[in-house]
Every structure is written in C-alpha cells, then in structure tokens.
Amino acid sequence: MSGYRGPMRVLSGIQPSGGMQLGNYLGAIRKFVELQHQYECYYCVVDMHAITVWQDPEKLREQTFHIAASYLAAGVDPNIATVFHQSAVGAHAELAWIFNCVARLGWIDRMTQFKDKAGKDKERASVGLYTYPVLQAADILVYKATHVPVGEDQKQHLELSRDIAGKFNHDFDADDFFPLPEPLIKGPGARIMSLRDGAAKMSKSDPSENACIFLSDDSDVIARKIKKAKTDSEPLPSEPKGLEGRLEAANLVGIYAALSGKPDADVLKEFGGQGFGAFKPALAELVVEKLAPISAELRRLEADPGYLQQVLRNGAERAAAVADPVVAEVKEIVGFLP
Ligand code: AQP
C-alpha cells in the first residue's frame, strides 16, 4: 500500500446481472460478512457494470433488490457496512471518466475478462464492457479503499486498479493520494467452477441452467443439479494430488471443503475410494444445509422491497458523503475549476 496513511477501507460489489450464485457467495459475500467487523466496509450492487451487456430494465430493478437482499441474507449488517447501488452515487462515474484518461489503452487491451465476455464478435461488444475495469478502479478508489475481497477471476482487474492509482499519484505529483488497493482473494471458494464444465467458472449468466447453483434454488433443485453435475467414472482419490487433471471432481470436492470448513485432504480422507453415487448426495445435503437459512432469509427480505429501498437509500447517502469529497479533491488536483 506504499506510504498511504488513510483509514483501512473495504469496497466490493456484485453485478445484478442474474441471481446470486454459489461462486459469488463463496468467493465474495462470505468474506464481506467477516470483514465488516474488521474494516469500514462499502458493499455495492454494481448496476452500472451490469448494463455493459444488455439487461431488461424491469429485471435489472428486480435483480438489484435481489443482490442487495442476498448481501443482507448472508449476514451483511447494513447498520455496520454501507450497502448501496452504484448508480445512486454519481461520483463513481465522474472518477471513472478521469481514470479513462489516466489508464493506457495497452493496459486495457490485456484484460482477459473482456476477451472472454466479448467472445468472437468483439466489434459488437459495448464500449462499456471494454472500459469496465476502469469503472471498477473508480468504484474502489472513490472510497480510497485499501482492501478488496473478490474471487480469483478479478485478480487482473485489481492489478489494473493498482496501476491506475499509482499512475495518478505519479502524474499529478500527488504522493500517496490514492492507496494501492490489496486484493483479498485467498481462501476456499475463491474459484468455483461450472457444474457442467470444470474448466469454466460458475457464472450467474451461464445459459445452461444446470451449470450454476443459485442462492434461491430450493433443496430439490440443488439435489437435481448436483446429481446431474458432470464427473468422470473413477472413484474419488484419498489424497488431493489424485485430483490432478480431474477438474470436475476437484470442483465438487472444493465446494464440499469450502462449505464444510475442512481442507480438501480431510474431505478425501472421508470420501476417498467412494464413487460419485455416494459423494453427490452427501454434497447435496451439505449445500442444502448451508444455503437453506440464507434462502429463507432472502425470500423474507425480497417480500419487503420498501425496506430494501430504504437500506439502499441510506447506504447511498453514507457512500456519497465519503465519495463526493474525494472526487472534489481529484478535480482540483487535475486542474478543473471549482
Ligand atoms: N465462480 C466463482 N468463484 C468464486 N468467486 C466468484 N465470483 C464470481 N464468480 C465466482 C466473485 O463474485 C464477485 C462478483 O462477481 P460479479 O457478479 O461482479 O461478476 P462476475 O465475476 O462476472 O460474476 P458472474 O456470476 O460470472 O456474473 P456474470 O455471469 O454476469 O458475468 C466477484 O468478486 C467475483 O470474483
């Protein structure tokens, strides 16, 4: 974090581009809950990121409530952490423009997520999808956040945020104005893979409905998806090195380990030598046991949009009170008139 001496702050967000999925929960939200007791935390629903690919407006509103409700259902306390939706705090977009003029084209060209999401037809992708990681840097740095809990897929974007912060500090001779934010990635669940393809990450917008477990899935749906999960025909090994090259098996064992709090080695001590016919029902039972209380709370909260709206409004006010003065200072630093 170089010589930065400001408060330790956490910022993270999830896109309302679909239902909250197990990867988002294990890779991100579970960490949000722990961190709220250690740092000043800002958790946003990143609706401006979501529209980098087409979103039906009515669904976008619903999904924004759904993601906010999922934060709370998983244990984020809006009286401790600041919970809000990104578009309600204009400072994110203002700083993103200035960062568009700091970031270099070559840096953005290297971002692999754009290549993955744009696919073969990148000429037809939105400009927003291309500059997405610059907006992400603004989301973080507008709060001068020092720590960012994310899944492994976001590592490259976090490096870019550090580069942008460093270049801004250097170009404007503004020593340590922005911290160089640290990613918080490590831990079980940092990379949960699709149930249909062990080489692709679990994603809420995966077109295959059996690829992904959603927080809103009921116990029958969870059991069915796990039963249908792709696997090989070998029994489970009794040690982690036996999972090498067995992507799907490694993913299921990883999910079991992340939810049970046991290392992979202990899971394999228990299930090594057994086939998926025995392991899958045990996994389904564990997933249902861990997710059921969260889904019940999620349903309760979603039935009360008035409360969710109030949480988001209060959060946006608190967030703007921190972000607006940072943007005002940035404008002065770059030479804009007040
Ligand atoms: N499969 C995953 N394993 C671990 N962590 C994951 N995250 C996402 N998928 C996994 C983490 O969840 C946070 C929010 O992600 P996001 O919604 O902003 O964007 P994403 O990474 O693109 O998530 P999805 O579900 O794949 O969304 P779509 O389908 O819309 O692209 C991040 O911290 C991410 O690392």
Side-chain angles (χ1 to χ4, degrees):
M1 240 182 300
S2 61
Y4 182 76
R5 286 185 212 291
M8 300 286 112
R9 286 191 183 134
V10 163
L11 175 290
S12 198
I14 294 189
Q15 300 183 69
S17 46
M20 181 72 78
Q21 45 100 351
L22 186 64
N24 300 141
Y25 172 64
L26 291 173
I29 307 192
R30 224 166 47 156
K31 294 183 200 143
F32 295 4
V33 178
E34 282 167 38
L35 291 166
Q36 66 185 339
H37 302 293
Q38 300 161 38
Y39 296 93
E40 188 183 319
C41 291
Y42 296 82
Y43 296 135
C44 54
V45 182
V46 286
D47 48 0
M48 285 156 64
H49 285 284
I51 62 161
T52 55
V53 297
W54 168 252
Q55 303 293 334
D56 173 80
E58 206 42 59
K59 263 194 160 161
L60 182 63
R61 270 185 281 274
E62 264 172 40
Q63 285 166 186
T64 301
F65 280 133
H66 170 77
I67 300 295
S70 305
Y71 288 172
L72 307 192
V76 171
D77 181 344
N79 295 313
I80 299 176
T82 300
V83 175
F84 63 103
H85 56 303
Q86 184 190 25
S87 62
V89 182
H92 291 237
E94 272 192 280
L95 185 60
W97 179 255
I98 294 169
F99 281 176
N100 270 326
C101 303
V102 172
R104 303 292 90 183
L105 215 53
W107 299 357
I108 311 299
D109 272 342
R110 286 194 283 277
M111 297 295 115
T112 54
Q113 194 181 75
F114 173 76
K115 290 174 194 152
D116 293 344
K117 288 200 172 180
K120 288 199 184 86
D121 203 1
K122 72 176 168 49
E123 297 290 312
R124 293 175 64 86
S126 73
V127 175
L129 188 65
Y130 185 68
T131 60
Y132 177 119
V134 178
L135 176 59
Q136 191 173 342
D139 298 335
I140 298 165
L141 292 166
V142 83
Y143 301 97
K144 296 192 173 184
T146 51
H147 295 83
V148 187
V150 280
E152 212 169 85
D153 59 312
Q154 293 298 325
K155 195 168 170 213
Q156 194 186 35
H157 288 172
L158 258 292
E159 278 159 15
L160 182 89
S161 295
R162 292 168 63 87
D163 290 343
I164 291 175
K167 184 161 166 53
F168 181 94
N169 290 347
H170 173 268
D171 289 358
F172 293 100
D173 212 4
D175 262 0
D176 300 321
F177 178 78
F178 284 121
L180 305 187
E182 305 271 354
L184 300 173
I185 294 177
K186 287 206 178 71
R191 190 162 174 77
I192 302 296
M193 309 311 281
S194 154
L195 297 181
R196 302 300 308 157
D197 175 1
K201 93 177 174 98
M202 187 177 279
S203 261
K204 57 177 111 62
S205 54
D206 195 311
S208 159
E209 63 156 27
N210 290 320
C212 184
I213 293 175
F214 293 104
L215 255 53
S216 54
D217 285 343
D218 65 30
S219 50
D220 290 345
V221 173
I222 292 174
R224 177 172 50 78
K225 287 182 177 177
I226 291 178
K227 193 169 176 202
K228 288 193 165 183
K230 187 177 165 200
T231 45
D232 50 44
S233 53
E234 299 293 310
L236 283 171
S238 34
E239 286 178 21
K241 70 172 174 351
L243 289 171
E244 276 167 25
R246 297 180 65 187
L247 298 181
E248 283 82 14
N251 186 39
L252 296 187
V253 169
I255 295 174
Y256 194 101
L259 285 170
S260 65
K262 293 180 187 163
D264 284 8
D266 288 4
V267 177
L268 292 175
K269 256 185 220 146
E270 195 177 336
F271 291 99
Q274 298 190 39
F276 289 99
F279 182 64
K280 281 181 170 180
L283 176 61
E285 199 180 316
L286 179 67
V287 174
V288 168
E289 179 200 318
K290 296 291 176 183
L291 294 193
I294 301 174
S295 349
E297 182 60 3
L298 179 59
R299 277 194 296 279
R300 192 189 69 76
L301 287 162
E302 283 187 306
D304 192 354
Y307 169 70
L308 292 172
Q309 187 129 39
Q310 199 51 49
V311 165
L312 291 173
R313 276 206 197 114
N314 291 345
E317 260 178 47
R318 276 156 59 189
V322 175
D324 290 349
V326 173
V327 167
E329 245 188 298
V330 168
K331 285 173 155 178
E332 196 190 330
I333 290 172
V334 303
F336 292 167
L337 287 173

